[in-house]
Amino acid sequence: MPAAPELAAPTTVDLDAAADQAIAACGGDAREAVKALIVANDFLETQLDELRTKVSTGYARGRLPRTREQRNDPDD
């Protein structure tokens, strides 16, 4: 049994409905919806990076990918 269950890819209908919902939430402006989604994604990535720093290497057994800062580090 794998450690993490495989996530099912969303169907096209689900993606279309989610896109329509995001655009509707932004008053019908697709550009504003894209900007809002970019901000939300950045927020979630920041939270994920913070959680990665709090999880010990031993607990994660080295399975966690590097944080954004580590990937962009010019010293590598």
Side-chain angles (χ1 to χ4, degrees), residues 30-51:
R31 185 176 181 85
E32 290 300 316
V34 170
K35 290 195 293 188
L37 292 171
I38 290 170
V39 169
N41 189 57
D42 188 55
F43 173 76
L44 292 172
E45 285 183 0
T46 300
Q47 279 190 321
L48 186 58
D49 286 345
E50 289 173 6
L51 289 172

